[in-house]
Amino acid sequence: MTTPSDPRAPHYLAALTARARYPLGPPVTLELNRCDGPYGELAALLSRHNGLTAFNAGLQVFRAGAQGLGPDLQTWNDPQTWKHTYEGLADGLLCFAQDLFGVQFALDTEARVVRFDPETAERTVLGDSLEDWALWLLADPDVRGARAFATSWQDRHGALAHDQRLIPWRLFTLGGTYEDDNLAVKDAAQCMRIRGPLAQTLHALPDGADFHMTPTPPPSDPDLLSHHELEAFADYSTLLIQDDQARLGEPEPVWFATLAANWINTAPGIIGIGAARPFDVPVTVDVRRTPPADDAERQQADHVTEAGLTLPSGRLLISMQDFDDELPRISLAPGTYAVRIYSHGLRTVSEDGLEGEDRYHVVLWPTDEEHPAQVLKRYPEPLPGG
C-alpha cells in the first residue's frame, strides 16, 4: 500500500483539480473538527483551492467561509438548511461536494468517503480517502461527474448559477427521465428539501418492495406529477386532508356544522371535507404543477370545493384524526397548495347511507395565492351523510 509521501503514489486528486476551475471563495486556512484521513485531505484541499467546479460544472466542491460563490461548507451542513427534511437519514455526514443533480459526496463518522443519493438516502462507500473519491470520479467522469449532461444542458440552456442544481419533476427513482420537460432549475438547498420527505418513504421500503403510490403520469397530461389511489375511512362522514404534523384538536361545534353544510372547512394545516358514507371510501389524489386546465371534471362532479393548505412537513395525510404509522403518507415539496375536491356518485348512495358508488378526487397544485374555503359547485339536493 502506498502513502502520500511515496513517489509511486497515485495523485488522482491532483489530476482532478488540474482540470477544475477555482476558487469559489477567498483564500482560507481551513481547520475541521477532525484531521484524520479524508478530513485532513479536505481541509488541505480547501486551503489550497477554496471551492471548485469540474467536469463542465457537473461537479461542485463547496467553498469554506462566509463569502464566495455557491453554498459554503458550514451552512450547507447545518441541519436546518436541508438535512432536517431527511429526519436522521443524513446525520453524521459532512457533505463537501455535489453533482449536477444534487447527489452528495460526504465524509461519514468512520472517515469514509460516501455517495449520498438525495432521492433514497442510500449511502455508497467510495473509499477511505479523497484520492479514492477522485479515482472513482475520473474512472467515468461523464456519468459519475455528470460531465456529459452538464455539457449538453449548458449548450442548450446556458450555465447554472453556483447555488442552483437540476431536479426532476418526476424523480428518477420513480421512473423520471432526463428529458428537458422533466427537469427544473432550482436553488440547491430547495432541491434537497423537496426530496427529503420522499427519501424517508423510499428508504423505509424493504428490498424488492413495489412503490405503487406514484405511477408514471399519462403522456396526455405532462403536468401531472404524481397519482395516488387510496381507501380512506370517513369517520362520521368526514375526512381530513392535512399536513402530517397538524392536529385538529377539539374545534367548536360550529366548525363541524359548517363542514356538514358545505363539505368544506379549514383549520391550520387541515382541510375538512364531507363524505356520503361513514365507511372506507375511494379517494384519488393527483398532484399537479398547474391548476386543471379547462376543469371539465367540474361539469361532471356532483359537488366541488376548494381551499388552501400549508404543508410544512412535506407529507400529506388523508384520514379522520388517525395517525397510525401504517397509513400512507404522500410526499410533496413543503409549501402552500391549492386543493380542489371533486365529489362524484352522490346520487348512487342508498337511502340508509350504507351503499353507494361515491368517490372523491383531490387535486393539489402549488400556489402563492390565497385560497379561502369555498364551494365551487353545489350539489342541488341535501348533501348525504350529514
Side-chain angles (χ1 to χ4, degrees):
M1 183 173 179
T2 58
T3 66
S5 61
D6 187 336
R8 297 170 299 167
H11 297 287
Y12 300 111
L13 190 58
L16 176 64
T17 57
R19 62 183 67 186
R21 294 185 177 183
Y22 51 78
L24 300 181
V28 296
T29 300
L30 181 63
E31 294 184 2
L32 299 174
N33 293 333
R34 297 177 59 170
C35 60
D36 55 316
Y39 287 91
E41 289 179 294
L42 179 61
L45 173 63
L46 294 184
S47 296
R48 291 194 305 270
H49 311 299
N50 189 16
L52 58 87
T53 62
F55 307 135
N56 288 334
L59 174 72
Q60 177 188 58
V61 176
F62 305 131
R63 61 181 171 83
Q67 297 180 344
L69 301 173
D72 72 273
L73 188 69
Q74 181 175 0
T75 302
W76 187 256
N77 285 280
D78 186 307
Q80 294 307 308
T81 300
W82 60 266
K83 288 183 179 180
H84 66 288
T85 65
Y86 285 80
E87 293 194 353
L89 296 177
D91 288 358
L93 295 180
L94 177 64
C95 298
F96 66 89
Q98 63 181 341
D99 76 4
L100 184 70
F101 302 101
V103 171
Q104 299 295 302
F105 299 106
L107 309 183
D108 69 7
T109 56
E110 298 181 37
R112 301 176 302 186
V113 184
V114 301
R115 177 186 184 275
F116 179 82
D117 189 321
E119 295 188 3
T120 64
E122 179 181 359
R123 303 183 186 191
T124 303
V125 177
L126 303 181
D128 298 320
S129 67
L130 292 193
E131 281 287 322
D132 291 339
W133 170 66
L135 172 61
W136 180 85
L137 286 169
L138 292 169
D140 192 355
D142 281 340
V143 175
R144 296 175 178 179
R147 181 178 64 184
F149 198 92
T151 302
S152 63
W153 175 273
Q154 291 176 112
D155 287 345
R156 297 192 305 275
H157 305 285
L160 299 181
H162 287 85
D163 57 357
Q164 293 177 327
R165 296 289 93 181
L166 294 180
I167 185 173
W169 289 107
R170 174 165 295 281
L171 300 188
F172 302 131
T173 308
L174 301 179
T177 70
Y178 288 85
E179 300 296 326
D180 283 6
D181 61 0
N182 189 49
L183 295 171
V185 177
K186 291 186 180 293
D187 175 80
Q190 183 184 10
C191 290
M192 300 301 292
R193 291 192 295 268
I194 288 172
R195 290 174 289 199
L198 180 60
Q200 295 176 45
T201 300
L202 295 176
H203 189 82
L205 290 177
D207 291 342
D210 292 326
F211 187 75
H212 295 296
M213 289 179 60
T214 314
T216 304
S220 60
D221 192 356
D223 284 336
L224 180 62
L225 298 177
S226 64
H227 173 81
H228 315 266
E229 296 181 1
L230 314 172
E231 290 283 334
F233 180 55
D235 198 12
Y236 294 99
S237 295
T238 299
L239 289 171
L240 300 181
I241 304 170
Q242 65 176 88
D243 183 86
D244 195 16
Q245 296 179 345
R247 298 294 182 265
L248 183 61
E250 297 184 5
E252 296 293 329
V254 67
W255 193 90
F256 283 106
T258 301
L259 177 59
N262 297 325
W263 274 21
I264 190 76
N265 206 353
T266 62
I270 295 171
I271 297 175
I273 66 172
R277 296 176 298 126
F279 302 110
D280 286 338
V281 295
V283 180
T284 301
V285 182
D286 286 329
V287 183
R288 299 178 51 84
R289 301 181 193 178
T290 59
D294 56 7
D295 206 10
E297 188 176 5
R298 189 189 303 199
Q299 305 300 319
Q300 303 168 357
D302 294 321
H303 190 77
V304 183
T305 57
E306 186 176 285
L309 179 66
T310 301
L311 288 171
S313 76
R315 297 184 303 275
L316 182 75
L317 175 65
I318 299 180
S319 72
M320 180 51 190
Q321 301 208 63
D322 185 356
F323 306 100
D324 191 286
D325 290 341
E326 298 300 318
L327 292 175
R329 270 71 170 175
I330 296 174
S331 295
L332 301 169
T336 301
Y337 291 81
V339 184
R340 188 172 298 168
I341 304 96
Y342 303 89
S343 301
H344 295 268
L346 302 189
R347 290 182 173 83
T348 69
V349 178
S350 62
E351 291 186 6
D352 59 10
L354 301 179
E355 303 292 338
E357 297 179 4
D358 52 315
R359 55 187 176 88
Y360 306 88
H361 184 198
V362 179
V363 181
L364 302 90
W365 64 92
T367 184
D368 294 327
E369 302 176 356
E370 293 289 333
H371 284 265
Q374 58 182 312
V375 177
L376 301 182
K377 178 181 179 181
R378 183 173 290 277
Y379 187 52
E381 304 172 19
L383 288 164

